[in-house]
Amino acid sequence: MRSNGGSGESASSQPPRNPSPQKAERPPVLKKFKTISPDDPRPTPHFPGPLFPAVRRVTSLRSSSDRRGCVDADASAKNSSGSNVSNNLNNVDVNNLSDRDWMYPSFLGSHAARNRVVTVKAASKSPSRGSGGRLVDGVQGKLVDEKQKTDSPTKKEEVKIVESQVSTTATTTQSSSVSSSSGRRARGVKLKRYFIFSSIIFSCIFPVSYVIHLRDKVARLEEENINLRRWCSEINVVGNNSNEVLQPEDDSSFHFFNNADSRTVALYTVVITLVMPFVLYKYLDYLPQIKNISKRTKPNKEEVPLKKRIAYMVDVCFSVYPYAKLLALLFATVFLIGFGGLALYAVSDGSLAEALWLSWTFVADSGNHADSVGTSPRIVSVSISSGGMLIFAMMLGLVSDAISEKVDSLRKGKSEVIEKNHILILGWSDKLGSLLKQLAIANKSVGGGVVVVLAERDKEEMEMDIAKLEFDFMGTSVICRSGSPLISADLKKVSVSKARAIIVLASDENADQSDARALRVVLTLTGIREGLRGHVVVEMSDLDNEPLVKLVGGDLIETVVAHDVIGRLMIQCALQPGLALIWEDILGFENDEFYIKRWPQLDGMQFEDVLISFPDAIPCGVKVAADGGKIILNPDDNYVLKEGDEVLVIAEDDDTYAPAPIPEVRRVDFPKVPELPKYPEKILFCGWRRDIDDMIMVLEAFLAPGSELWMFNEVPEKERERKLIDGGLDISGLANIKLVHHEGNAVIRRHLESLPLETFDSILILADESLEDSVVHSDSRSLATLLLIRDIQSKRLPYKDTKPTSLRLAGFSHSSWILEMQQASDKSIIISEILDSRTRNLVSVSRISDYVLSNELVSMALAMVAEDKQINRVLEELFAEEGNEMCIKPAEFYLFDQEELCFYDIMIRGRQRQEIVIGYRLANNEPAIINPPKKSESRKWSLDDVFVVISSGS
């Protein structure tokens, strides 16, 4: 007892502690006033302020002597032991200690009453009790200690301490219950949703089963009733006519089920089928939550809702599978027919087969439902007809989309080309128009061909640009397809493996980018699994990139370097005026061109006899079969054709010539006129080309020592030398020409006036490298420079009239054609590089001596090599600075003035100079004639005439 009292004293002396380390969050507790007895004369305390009046209900507790008496009586009954005291203390009515409540104002809403503390009895005497046990022991200790004290104020303080301990315990219990209630509330919401979903499903399924059960019960009752009436009839309870009334329509329960229960089942099936989509759409996202609750797993917050997943799968299905829409429409049609037939069967008296047929008629023709009788059949028939109209509209939409997609595919060039032995052009450039023109002319002899164009442009735009050419393709079909030459699928779409020739055009980018793209196209072509039947002609922009493309493509690739061809041709035309027109005649398919063919009847003949064996062609060389197909231009006269050798000729077409018997010619030796010595020349380059170093090397081979090359452009002099050295030119090693640098703009007049323009033998206006990406700007600059130079030369008339005749032209004293061209350009040959064929007419009226139509000549060369890849070897040799070349020679080298000779005679005299005469130009006729007809007819020749020959250059 003393120890308990001690503990009670210590407990009462110390403030109560909260058993939980962190104080739970709780609502504010109203302040409690000191308990006042009803007999106290003092006024009852209340909350200050007029807005919150409160009245406290005072419950009088038992006096301290009564409580002490109860405790003493219990203690004496149980031998006054400490444990008995504790047991007796558990019986103390603690509820009376906290039976004090505030009356809460009604206008503030509902007020939750305070939790009352229930006294917990000690279950064991063990010291290892929980916090609740310790709390009760503390309370008991306080009460036992209070028993020993007789002072009334002390007893009241003891009651207050007990009340505070009980209040703390209640508050802690309430806070812990609040923390766990949120989880139970969330689970309750999920269970509520699950319960609602299950209830809806149950409410849809249970009535059907219940109705079927009632139908079975009614059937059994009717059967019992019929049996009972039959039994009564047998005992004469019912009259004679009762049998007909009492007999059922059919004894077959199956038939009864079909006529009665099946319609009910059909009706409820229709209703459930109508309701279920809305239910599923409403509660579809709750299915994963129900699954998680059943498996007791935590839901994943990042999980995509089920509706979105289903919509995504449908979208993917319609996108990936082309026939998904058609199958969905078919399924919808079958479902509507079946569903409508089932609904009609439920509301009508007909059979199921008849209802399905009626459903089909309503779907196929929406006007058939007009004959329906009854409200329910009419509602169902109108619904089926509406669904049929919707399905018919969807079907029209699908058919319209399919047709539109097919038309768009054809319009955009996405369809496949089913052709063979056609010519395939990859890419698009300004050369395409002239290239198509040349290919159409080449195919004219066979009635036309097929040319397929694959480019990264819209098909309609390509067809419109081709239509603007206003050219008759003479039976040749041009098919355009939109695609990339770098994609194998697009190449297979145009039957690349069946083409007899493939032309890769250079793009309109700068030279390096264009050649890089051409290299990628060649790599793609070599990777075609089916292989290539024809050869590939690649247009290159820079000569330095040619070896890499040939390394990748091998023998399958033939390259035509546009810049190199035009540069060499410009130099040849500058040295020999009028040569550009001859090249246009030979390279193009409009007049005469190169052909190679084998003639077995010519085997064993010498080349000098073969030369005059073709009345409609001019032999120029031999393709030697024993030397791996090497082509020899201008071979020796004593070369004998062997088996397998082919003859290279210049003819109008491949089917317009054939060998004939050798004609009679006069083989008379003509005195050989020596070649005139070369004189120094003065040439001006206006502009800067990327391959200008190659042009300088060609000039170094053709010009005489002491010649000057003036370079006028906007590139600084130091940068010029660096670029020339980087291009491989040894400036210090130039022996025949001297470089003279001038910096200026070729379209500014005062810059051009600083040059001695009237002293130059030839002026070459080059397409500047800075404008090579824009054809129009480049041609405009070239044309402006040309007009300025001509105007400056025309105003320097005194010097022009006194200027001596050029040493180079002095040797052609009888060549009036060359003199006329020289006078047309004010005694200077002006060669202008023109990239666009539309500028040709503008240049022709500007009184220049000669011109080069770059894109036209390159297109001709590409078309010729596409028709026969062997011609590329011939062109390479004719454009080279060494070997055979095409040139213009005066008539005095082959005849006397007014001498009467046939063309065969002139060809024989040309062989004495190791030359092949291929044409001529008369003094009184402007155009040159290549491969003249009637070669055996004699005529008079003048020394003013000139001849076009293929010379060895020696």
Side-chain angles (χ1 to χ4, degrees), residues 483-677:
S484 175
L486 302 175
I487 301 176
S488 300
D490 291 343
L491 291 175
K492 293 179 181 179
K493 183 175 61 179
V494 293
S495 301
V496 64
S497 59
K498 299 179 181 179
R500 63 184 175 93
I502 303 172
I503 302 175
V504 181
L505 294 179
S507 60
D508 294 333
E509 303 168 322
N510 60 57
D512 292 333
Q513 293 179 354
S514 176
D515 291 348
R517 179 179 175 82
L519 178 61
R520 294 197 299 269
V521 173
V522 172
L523 286 172
T524 307
L525 291 173
T526 55
I528 297 297
R529 185 177 302 177
E530 294 81 2
L532 300 178
R533 178 185 301 180
H535 61 284
V536 181
V537 183
V538 183
E539 179 193 359
M540 303 294 296
S541 299
D542 198 337
L543 186 64
D544 297 334
N545 300 325
E546 182 185 17
L548 184 59
V549 175
K550 287 188 175 181
L551 178 65
V552 172
D555 297 335
L556 192 68
I557 303 298
E558 294 293 335
T559 59
V560 176
V561 185
H563 270 59
D564 184 65
V565 169
I566 299 305
R568 294 173 183 272
L569 189 57
M570 288 185 69
I571 292 175
Q572 291 186 12
C573 293
L575 299 179
Q576 302 192 42
L579 197 60
L581 296 175
I582 297 174
W583 270 114
E584 286 186 11
D585 291 340
I586 293 179
L587 291 177
F589 286 97
E590 291 180 327
N591 297 313
D592 296 272
E593 54 274 352
F594 290 104
Y595 292 100
I596 299 178
K597 187 180 292 187
R598 165 158 172 73
W599 302 98
Q601 60 268 37
L602 299 180
D603 292 346
M605 293 180 58
Q606 293 184 351
F607 183 77
E608 62 178 353
D609 296 330
V610 174
L611 190 64
I612 57 177
S613 299
F614 292 90
D616 299 317
I618 297 178
C620 301
V622 176
K623 180 181 178 182
V624 182
D627 198 7
K630 181 180 179 181
I631 298 178
I632 301 177
L633 280 175
N634 191 14
D636 295 335
D637 289 341
N638 55 3
Y639 178 82
V640 179
L641 268 69
K642 302 178 180 60
E643 184 179 359
D645 290 350
E646 301 178 21
V647 181
L648 171 68
V649 301
I650 296 177
E652 184 179 359
D653 209 339
D654 56 351
D655 57 351
T656 58
Y657 70 99
I662 300 176
E664 295 183 359
V665 294
R666 291 181 294 177
R667 300 179 181 272
V668 180
D669 292 338
F670 184 78
K672 185 177 181 180
V673 178
E675 292 282 349
L676 296 176

Side-chain angles (χ1 to χ4, degrees), residues 288-306:
Q289 299 178 6
I290 297 172
K291 183 179 178 182
N292 293 332
I293 293 174
S294 62
K295 293 184 178 181
R296 296 183 179 180
T297 57
K298 294 182 179 180
N300 188 6
K301 295 182 179 179
E302 298 181 357
E303 186 176 2
V304 181
L306 187 58

Side-chain angles (χ1 to χ4, degrees), residues 890-904:
E892 58 188 13
F893 286 180
Y894 311 101
L895 49 83
F896 299 105
D897 190 20
Q898 301 300 319
E899 186 177 3
E900 187 173 350
L901 298 171
C902 67
F903 192 76
Y904 281 136

Side-chain angles (χ1 to χ4, degrees), residues 36-108:
I36 300 175
S37 176
D39 300 333
D40 197 339
R42 291 176 298 179
T44 303
H46 56 86
F47 287 106
L51 296 179
F52 295 93
V55 180
R56 187 178 64 176
R57 179 173 57 87
V58 181
T59 302
S60 59
L61 297 174
R62 285 191 286 181
S63 61
S64 59
S65 61
D66 294 340
R67 291 197 303 271
R68 185 170 59 252
C70 294
V71 174
D72 291 342
D74 292 339
S76 62
K78 295 184 180 179
N79 299 324
S80 302
S81 61
S83 60
N84 291 337
V85 173
S86 300
N87 292 332
N88 293 331
L89 285 175
N90 291 333
N91 296 326
V92 175
D93 190 3
V94 184
N95 294 331
N96 292 331
L97 297 177
S98 60
D99 192 13
R100 295 184 301 174
D101 292 331
W102 297 99
M103 295 183 64
Y104 205 77
S106 61
F107 62 86
L108 293 180

